[in-house]
């Protein structure tokens, strides 16, 4: 894989992780500014009646998306490191090549 493609994929994955991590902050900022919290509270914070599992469901979805993006990032880094690993194994020294007086 070309190094510039790997860098671009890593940057996109990191930015996506940061964007997903910022969602709860953006929802709270919207609620504090008399917004609907991205549909969480339809009539604003004063008349907000959220079900017992609505926040937990949102948190679970965000955690799953973060884990999927982290897995994607790890996979991209692993794929990028594979060709270099083959070259390193070919040039690795054996115990017979090292002289320790």
């Amino acid at each position: 894989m070309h190094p510039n493609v790997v860098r671009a994929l890593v940057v996109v994955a990191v930015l996506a992780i940061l964007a997903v991590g910022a969602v709860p902050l953006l929802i709270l900022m919207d609620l504090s500014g008399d917004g609907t919290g991205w549909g969480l509270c339809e009539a604003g914070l004063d008349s907000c009646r959220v079900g017992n599992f609505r926040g937990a469901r949102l948190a679970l979805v965000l955690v799953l998306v973060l884990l999927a993006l982290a897995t994607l990032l790890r996979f991209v880094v692993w794929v990028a490191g594979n060709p270099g690993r083959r070259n390193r194994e070919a040039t690795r020294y054996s115990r017979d090549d090292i002289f320790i007086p």
Side-chain angles (χ1 to χ4, degrees):
M1 191 177 274
H2 196 272
N4 290 335
V5 173
V6 172
R7 286 184 190 122
L9 287 174
V10 168
V11 167
V12 167
V14 169
L15 289 177
I17 289 171
L18 291 175
V20 170
V23 167
L25 178 64
L26 294 173
I27 289 174
L28 287 175
M29 287 175 53
D30 185 46
L31 281 172
S32 67
D34 294 331
T36 63
W38 292 5
L40 196 61
C41 300
E42 288 79 16
L45 190 58
D46 293 335
S47 63
C48 187
R49 294 182 185 258
V50 179
N52 292 338
F53 297 108
R54 198 162 185 182
R57 185 178 61 202
L58 178 62
L60 180 67
V61 168
L62 289 174
V63 166
L64 289 177
V65 170
L66 283 173
L67 286 175
L69 287 171
T71 304
L72 173 70
L73 179 62
R74 177 68 182 118
F75 179 73
V76 167
V77 170
W78 177 75
V79 167
N82 256 349
R85 182 173 296 144
R86 284 187 219 125
N87 291 338
R88 276 185 256 127
E89 287 176 1
T91 61
R92 185 174 291 169
Y93 294 108
S94 67
R95 289 184 176 195
D96 296 335
D97 296 337
I98 300 174
F99 175 71
I100 301 175

PDB file of all heavy atoms in Angstrom, residues 12 14 26 34 53 70 74 81:
ATOM      1  N   VAL A  12      -8.119  10.163   8.184  1.00  0.00           N
ATOM      2  CA  VAL A  12      -9.577  10.070   8.109  1.00  0.00           C
ATOM      3  C   VAL A  12     -10.134   9.291   9.300  1.00  0.00           C
ATOM      4  O   VAL A  12     -11.137   9.699   9.906  1.00  0.00           O
ATOM      5  CB  VAL A  12     -10.004   9.425   6.776  1.00  0.00           C
ATOM      6  CG1 VAL A  12     -11.465   9.032   6.783  1.00  0.00           C
ATOM      7  CG2 VAL A  12      -9.720  10.377   5.622  1.00  0.00           C
ATOM      8  N   VAL A  14      -8.759   8.873  12.308  1.00  0.00           N
ATOM      9  CA  VAL A  14      -8.586   9.648  13.544  1.00  0.00           C
ATOM     10  C   VAL A  14      -9.600  10.790  13.608  1.00  0.00           C
ATOM     11  O   VAL A  14     -10.206  11.045  14.661  1.00  0.00           O
ATOM     12  CB  VAL A  14      -7.136  10.167  13.672  1.00  0.00           C
ATOM     13  CG1 VAL A  14      -7.004  11.184  14.782  1.00  0.00           C
ATOM     14  CG2 VAL A  14      -6.190   9.007  13.912  1.00  0.00           C
ATOM     15  N   LEU A  26     -21.547  18.019  21.685  1.00  0.00           N
ATOM     16  CA  LEU A  26     -22.378  18.844  20.805  1.00  0.00           C
ATOM     17  C   LEU A  26     -23.858  18.760  21.186  1.00  0.00           C
ATOM     18  O   LEU A  26     -24.575  19.755  21.120  1.00  0.00           O
ATOM     19  CB  LEU A  26     -22.174  18.423  19.351  1.00  0.00           C
ATOM     20  CG  LEU A  26     -20.782  18.689  18.790  1.00  0.00           C
ATOM     21  CD1 LEU A  26     -20.641  18.086  17.399  1.00  0.00           C
ATOM     22  CD2 LEU A  26     -20.487  20.175  18.755  1.00  0.00           C
ATOM     23  N   ASP A  34     -30.951  26.083  24.442  1.00  0.00           N
ATOM     24  CA  ASP A  34     -32.395  25.965  24.190  1.00  0.00           C
ATOM     25  C   ASP A  34     -32.705  25.253  22.886  1.00  0.00           C
ATOM     26  O   ASP A  34     -33.695  25.545  22.222  1.00  0.00           O
ATOM     27  CB  ASP A  34     -33.082  27.338  24.215  1.00  0.00           C
ATOM     28  CG  ASP A  34     -33.046  27.972  25.587  1.00  0.00           C
ATOM     29  OD1 ASP A  34     -33.012  27.205  26.577  1.00  0.00           O
ATOM     30  OD2 ASP A  34     -33.027  29.213  25.676  1.00  0.00           O
ATOM     31  N   PHE A  53     -34.011   4.146  28.538  1.00  0.00           N
ATOM     32  CA  PHE A  53     -32.961   3.534  27.740  1.00  0.00           C
ATOM     33  C   PHE A  53     -32.499   4.380  26.572  1.00  0.00           C
ATOM     34  O   PHE A  53     -31.628   3.963  25.826  1.00  0.00           O
ATOM     35  CB  PHE A  53     -33.446   2.177  27.218  1.00  0.00           C
ATOM     36  CG  PHE A  53     -33.742   1.200  28.312  1.00  0.00           C
ATOM     37  CD1 PHE A  53     -35.042   0.861  28.622  1.00  0.00           C
ATOM     38  CD2 PHE A  53     -32.710   0.648  29.051  1.00  0.00           C
ATOM     39  CE1 PHE A  53     -35.306  -0.024  29.637  1.00  0.00           C
ATOM     40  CE2 PHE A  53     -32.970  -0.237  30.068  1.00  0.00           C
ATOM     41  CZ  PHE A  53     -34.276  -0.582  30.366  1.00  0.00           C
ATOM     42  N   ALA A  70     -11.805   2.363  15.699  1.00  0.00           N
ATOM     43  CA  ALA A  70     -10.492   2.000  16.242  1.00  0.00           C
ATOM     44  C   ALA A  70      -9.990   0.700  15.618  1.00  0.00           C
ATOM     45  O   ALA A  70      -8.800   0.559  15.327  1.00  0.00           O
ATOM     46  CB  ALA A  70     -10.568   1.861  17.763  1.00  0.00           C
ATOM     47  N   ARG A  74      -6.618   0.282  13.430  1.00  0.00           N
ATOM     48  CA  ARG A  74      -5.636  -0.758  13.727  1.00  0.00           C
ATOM     49  C   ARG A  74      -5.371  -1.634  12.502  1.00  0.00           C
ATOM     50  O   ARG A  74      -4.239  -2.018  12.227  1.00  0.00           O
ATOM     51  CB  ARG A  74      -6.132  -1.611  14.900  1.00  0.00           C
ATOM     52  CG  ARG A  74      -5.236  -2.748  15.250  1.00  0.00           C
ATOM     53  CD  ARG A  74      -3.926  -2.253  15.838  1.00  0.00           C
ATOM     54  NE  ARG A  74      -3.067  -3.373  16.129  1.00  0.00           N
ATOM     55  CZ  ARG A  74      -1.883  -3.578  15.573  1.00  0.00           C
ATOM     56  NH1 ARG A  74      -1.394  -2.717  14.724  1.00  0.00           N
ATOM     57  NH2 ARG A  74      -1.167  -4.622  15.878  1.00  0.00           N
ATOM     58  N   GLY A  81       2.059  -2.076   7.845  1.00  0.00           N
ATOM     59  CA  GLY A  81       3.288  -2.614   8.402  1.00  0.00           C
ATOM     60  C   GLY A  81       3.667  -3.980   7.873  1.00  0.00           C
ATOM     61  O   GLY A  81       4.781  -4.443   8.086  1.00  0.00           O
TER      62      GLY A  81
END
